[in-house]
């Protein structure tokens, strides 16, 4: 048994988690139902899932419908529910013996909200959660839940309008908005709401827990970023991966702050563009500081024989965003608050990645930089400041695209206390990821590649720390390996993910090879806000091999031979990507 096979054997046995669902003989139990957790249960969703373990040599039936049982003994199937009482008959037929089990599932629809009882204001809230900073011209939007059919106002006796029940779930929802005026002078003050019964002349009022500050000072409010890699968000939306990001800023970049919502500052990039940054990443400047502004100086475009650079002189560190255009391939950097005074651009001899550079004054406060590359495939770039010089580094294509000339970074997702998902058998994602990553490392090294890994054992490594380490290592490519999971155990398949459009081809080639393993197609997912997909400095791909929550996918993930196949498919995908490059 080889080293990698021993690791996988340890993964499948050391924890003993699988043994808890098997009999002492090592065989799956005749029948063990895990969900629903009891013979009689109450749920508030139309679909429940029948999950558990059964001897795969038998036939499992749920109300006459066959439920597939994986070779591991794991099964999962849907239970379609009607409102109220639902009875299910479970049969497990093994040879001439039939085991029967009866289950009852009661589907109760979620209780709808009810109107406010009596004469009262039940709740109030402002536009977003948390305290607010707004400036003149901003809309203050509010909502109140109170006794229906009353007269309602807020702040300066501004009317609140009761919503029609066809648009909201219950009567008594009042909404209103107010445009902040230059004369408003609130500072950390709550907003008062009023409710009046014009028949009985009763009246009641409450103050919001949230507080409002109006930014009406006669000068700009500014701040400086306090650290590298400050995220620049499009808006206040969020999900499990965080909100959608425009990009990142490095330290000591000057920002004009126009508001605060929750734990985010709203910042003005230009007359037409705004963004949001975390409050924790910005230090407010005291006193009067002018809005971020600079004339651009002369340019220098040069190479150090390893990378090409574009250096643009500015008088202060201004915010910026960058994207990549294709056909032809161009890096486009917008510098906000900059106005052109660039009267010459010096392009030195010996450039290896950059074909040409030029600029456009897009608007009075947006200076756009164009960098056209010599090769169609982008191999990496980054934007940062060197003192007050905006420095754009462009990484050239490797001179030789053979594996033996490349450094490939391999990331085994999760690890240590971060276990990731777990399968019905009890196997942990972190361990499967490591096994497949080590297999990939072995195959790549046989191909002659230099391989670096974010972890080679079971330890905790923060994704932010992985990213910093990877950026210092500057690999040619990054492959991150994970297993997927879903609350719906019927979802299955393989998928690849990318953040930047320029790196999509890498993810497409690998997905095409993974599909040859007869895995379902869960898709090629772009704009993915995963930490290790975020760097622009090198092409990267996240491979979600299969769904650990699906019985059939889990069975394959438990097979050591499948790990070899995954490693081979990823290498074939890398080879296809490299061979297609000019």
């Amino acid at each position: 048994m080889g080293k990698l096979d021993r690791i996988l054997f340890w993964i499948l046995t050391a924890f003993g988690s699988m043994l808890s669902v098997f009999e002492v003989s090592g065989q799956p139990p005749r029948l063990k139902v895990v969900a629903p957790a009891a013979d009689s249960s109450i749920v508030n969703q139309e679909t429940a899932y029948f999950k558990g373990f059964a001897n795969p040599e038998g036939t499992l039936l749920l109300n006459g419908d066959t439920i597939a049982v994986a070779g591991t003994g794991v099964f999962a199937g849907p239970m379609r529910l009607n409102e109220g009482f639902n009875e299910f008959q479970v049969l497990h037929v093994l040879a001439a013996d039939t085991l029967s089990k009866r289950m009852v599932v009661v589907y109760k629809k979620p209780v709808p909200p009810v109107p406010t009882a009596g004469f009262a204001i039940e709740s109030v809230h402002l536009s977003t959660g948390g305290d607010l900073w707004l400036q003149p011209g901003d809309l203050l939007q509010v909502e109140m839940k109170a006794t229906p059919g009353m007269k309602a106002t807020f702040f300066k006796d501004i009317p609140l309008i009761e919503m029609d029940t066809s648009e909201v779930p219950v009567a008594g929802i009042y909404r209103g908005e107010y445009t902040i005026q230059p004369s408003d002078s609130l500072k950390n003050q709550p907003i008062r709401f009023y409710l009046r019964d014009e028949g009985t002349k009763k009246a009641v009022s409450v103050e919001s827990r949230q507080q409002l500050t109006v930014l009406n000072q006669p000068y700009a409010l500014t701040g400086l970023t306090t650290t590298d890699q400050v995220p620049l968000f499009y808006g206040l939306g969020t999900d499990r991966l965080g909100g959608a990001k425009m990009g990142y800023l490095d330290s000591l970049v000057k920002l004009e702050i126009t508001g605060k919502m929750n734990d985010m500052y709203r910042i003005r990039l230009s007359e037409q563009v705004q963004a949001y940054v975390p409050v924790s990443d910005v230090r407010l400047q005291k006193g009067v500081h002018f809005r971020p502004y600079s004339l651009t100086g002369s340019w220098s475009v040069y190479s150090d024989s390893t990378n090409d650079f574009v250096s643009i002189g500015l008088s202060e560190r201004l915010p910026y965003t960058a994207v990549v255009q294709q056909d032809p391939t161009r890096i486009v950097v917008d510098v906000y608050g900059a106005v052109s005074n660039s009267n010459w651009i010096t392009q030195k001899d010996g450039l290896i990645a950059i074909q040409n550079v030029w600029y456009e004054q897009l608007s009075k406060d947006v200076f756009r930089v164009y960098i056209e590359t010599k090769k169609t495939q982008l191999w990496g770039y980054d934007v940062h400041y060197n003192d007050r010089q905006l420095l754009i580094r462009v990484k050239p294509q490797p001179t030789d695209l053979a594996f033996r000339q490349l450094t490939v970074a391999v990331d085994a997702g999760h690890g240590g206390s971060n276990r990731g998902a777990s399968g019905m058998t009890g196997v942990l994602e972190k361990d499967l990821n490591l096994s497949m990553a080590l297999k990939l490392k072995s195959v790549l090294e046989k191909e002659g590649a230099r391989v670096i890994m974010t972890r080679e054992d079971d330890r905790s490594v923060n994704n932010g720390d992985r990213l910093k380490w990877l950026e210092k290592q500057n690999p040619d490519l990054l492959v991150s390996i994970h297993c997927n999971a879903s609350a719906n155990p019927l979802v299955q398949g393989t998928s690849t993910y990318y953040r930047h459009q320029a790196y999509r081809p890498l993810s497409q080639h690998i997905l095409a090879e993974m599909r040859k393993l007869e895995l379902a197609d869960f898709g090629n997912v772009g704009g993915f806000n995963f930490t290790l997909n975020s760097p622009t400095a090198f092409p990267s791909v996240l491979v979600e091999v299969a769904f650990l929550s699906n019985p059939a996918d889990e069975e394959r993930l438990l097979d050591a031979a499948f790990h070899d196949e995954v490693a081979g498919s990823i290498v074939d995908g890398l080879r296809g990507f490299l061979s297609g490059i000019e």
Side-chain angles (χ1 to χ4, degrees):
M1 182 182 291
K3 177 184 176 182
L4 294 180
D5 291 325
R6 287 197 300 274
I7 290 173
L8 184 61
F9 177 79
W10 172 78
I11 288 170
L12 300 182
T13 59
F15 297 102
S17 52
M18 288 183 63
L19 300 180
S20 64
V21 300
F22 293 155
E23 295 175 344
V24 175
S25 65
Q27 297 300 313
R30 174 68 187 272
L31 178 65
K32 179 177 180 178
V33 177
V34 175
D39 291 344
S40 181
S41 56
I42 300 173
V43 300
N44 59 6
Q45 294 179 323
E46 289 182 296
T47 301
Y49 293 101
F50 177 52
K51 299 191 294 184
F53 303 86
N55 191 319
E57 295 180 3
T59 301
L60 182 63
L61 302 169
L62 180 68
N63 280 2
D65 295 328
T66 302
I67 302 296
V69 181
T72 57
V74 175
F75 66 81
M79 305 176 82
R80 310 297 182 190
L81 306 176
N82 298 314
E83 188 174 3
F85 184 89
N86 297 266
E87 185 172 2
F88 293 90
Q89 185 73 26
V90 180
L91 299 177
H92 187 259
V93 181
L94 184 61
D97 184 32
T98 298
L99 181 64
S100 176
K101 180 179 178 66
R102 178 177 174 272
M103 296 186 301
V104 172
V105 180
V106 179
Y107 167 42
K108 283 190 174 182
K109 288 186 176 180
V111 178
V114 297
T116 301
F119 179 72
I121 297 175
E122 187 174 329
S123 64
V124 299
H125 71 267
L126 310 185
S127 310
T128 60
D131 294 340
L132 291 174
W133 293 2
L134 299 177
Q135 63 180 3
D138 284 338
L139 278 177
L140 171 63
Q141 298 175 317
V142 304
E143 184 175 284
M144 175 174 78
K145 185 175 187 292
T147 308
M150 300 293 142
K151 181 180 179 180
T153 60
F154 75 106
F155 195 34
K156 300 178 179 180
D157 211 26
I158 301 159
L160 289 164
I161 307 302
E162 185 175 2
M163 301 295 293
D164 189 282
T165 51
S166 65
E167 299 179 357
V168 292
V170 66
I173 301 297
Y174 299 83
R175 290 177 180 167
E177 58 185 24
Y178 168 73
T179 302
I180 301 296
Q181 301 297 309
S183 58
D184 292 327
S185 58
L186 300 175
K187 185 174 183 179
N188 295 327
Q189 289 182 244
I191 298 299
R192 185 165 286 278
F193 291 73
Y194 304 90
L195 189 71
R196 298 178 179 88
D197 185 335
E198 296 191 313
T200 64
K201 305 303 180 183
K202 290 181 179 179
V204 65
S205 70
V206 300
E207 288 186 340
S208 63
R209 290 188 176 182
Q210 297 163 268
Q211 295 183 328
L212 174 64
T213 294
V214 176
L215 301 177
N216 58 2
Q217 74 283 344
Y219 52 86
L221 179 64
T222 61
L224 299 175
T225 55
T226 57
T227 184
D228 292 333
Q229 291 292 307
V230 174
L232 200 60
F233 293 92
Y234 285 103
L236 296 170
T238 188
D239 57 25
R240 66 184 181 87
L241 293 175
K245 300 177 182 69
M246 302 170 72
Y248 294 84
L249 300 174
D250 52 352
S251 61
L252 300 178
V253 172
K254 189 176 183 180
L255 305 173
E256 180 183 353
I257 296 165
T258 63
K260 185 177 83 167
M261 295 83 185
N262 284 332
D263 57 354
M264 303 282 276
Y265 285 133
R266 183 183 64 192
I267 63 170
R268 176 190 180 278
L269 294 177
S270 72
E271 283 193 350
Q272 304 299 323
V273 183
Q274 66 179 23
Y276 296 84
V277 296
V279 169
S280 58
D281 290 338
V282 176
R283 172 175 59 83
L284 295 180
Q285 293 184 288
K286 296 179 181 179
V288 177
H289 294 265
F290 300 133
R291 287 179 170 84
Y293 171 83
S294 175
L295 293 174
T296 65
S298 60
W299 295 26
S300 179
V301 185
Y302 60 94
S303 178
D304 68 358
S305 75
T306 301
N307 298 282
D308 288 355
F309 298 88
V310 177
S311 177
I312 304 170
L314 298 171
S315 60
E316 60 184 19
R317 293 160 79 119
L318 301 178
Y320 53 81
T321 56
V323 297
V324 175
Q325 297 177 349
Q326 295 177 297
D327 300 324
T329 302
R330 296 171 178 169
I331 302 165
V332 181
V333 181
D334 285 343
V335 187
Y336 300 98
V339 175
S340 175
N341 193 37
S342 296
N343 291 313
W344 60 84
I345 299 174
T346 303
Q347 300 190 49
K348 300 288 185 68
D349 192 20
L351 296 175
I352 48 181
I354 296 174
Q355 178 70 29
N356 193 17
V357 300
W358 67 96
Y359 71 87
E360 175 185 7
Q361 190 69 48
L362 199 63
S363 66
K364 69 178 185 180
D365 52 4
V366 181
F367 181 79
R368 176 164 288 181
V369 177
Y370 294 92
I371 304 172
E372 186 172 344
T373 61
K374 291 184 176 182
K375 298 292 187 178
T376 300
Q377 177 60 52
L378 184 69
W379 284 86
Y381 75 97
D382 54 48
V383 185
H384 65 276
Y385 280 99
N386 180 14
D387 194 13
R388 293 179 182 177
Q389 295 282 321
L390 185 67
L391 198 62
I392 306 164
R393 178 182 70 101
V394 184
K395 188 175 175 181
Q397 179 172 300
T399 53
D400 187 342
L401 294 177
F403 280 120
R404 65 181 178 277
Q405 298 297 325
L406 300 179
T407 297
V408 181
V410 176
D411 171 59
H414 304 286
S417 60
N418 184 355
R419 308 194 312 171
S422 59
M424 282 280 288
T425 61
V427 70
L428 301 178
E429 181 192 354
K430 65 171 185 173
D431 300 319
L432 296 174
N433 295 343
L434 180 59
S435 172
M436 290 183 285
L438 290 170
K439 297 264 187 176
L440 177 58
K441 176 178 184 287
S442 178
V443 177
L444 283 169
E445 288 179 337
K446 287 178 183 177
E447 295 282 345
R450 173 176 176 258
V451 180
I452 59 174
M453 298 192 67
T454 57
R455 69 180 182 99
E456 295 190 69
D457 51 26
D458 183 29
R459 59 191 175 93
S460 299
V461 188
N462 177 274
N463 275 345
D465 293 336
R466 296 184 200 218
L467 181 56
K468 290 178 182 177
W469 180 80
L470 285 166
E471 289 180 333
K472 289 180 180 178
Q473 299 301 312
N474 194 30
D476 295 301
L477 300 163
L478 165 64
V479 180
S480 182
I481 297 178
H482 283 247
C483 299
N484 222 329
S486 171
N488 180 350
L490 306 183
V491 175
Q492 63 182 131
T494 189
S495 49
T496 57
Y497 300 74
Y498 63 95
R499 171 69 177 87
H500 306 291
Q501 186 66 27
Y503 303 148
R504 186 184 184 210
L506 172 62
S507 66
Q508 290 176 297
H509 279 281
I510 291 178
L511 180 60
E513 295 299 327
M514 292 292 292
R515 290 280 286 118
K516 294 177 182 178
L517 298 179
E518 297 184 354
L519 293 163
D521 178 22
F522 193 68
N524 179 230
V525 183
F528 195 63
N529 196 23
F530 174 55
T531 301
L532 297 192
N533 283 138
S534 66
T536 59
F538 40 80
S540 64
V541 58
L542 165 64
V543 182
E544 293 277 6
V545 175
F547 276 81
L548 198 47
S549 52
N550 176 267
D553 278 8
E554 181 188 18
E555 181 177 6
R556 298 201 67 182
L557 287 165
L558 289 169
D559 182 358
F562 178 68
H563 292 202
D564 290 314
E565 293 174 339
V566 167
S569 293
I570 292 175
V571 170
D572 287 343
L574 290 171
R575 185 181 290 107
F577 167 70
L578 295 169
S579 65
I581 293 172
E582 298 176 357

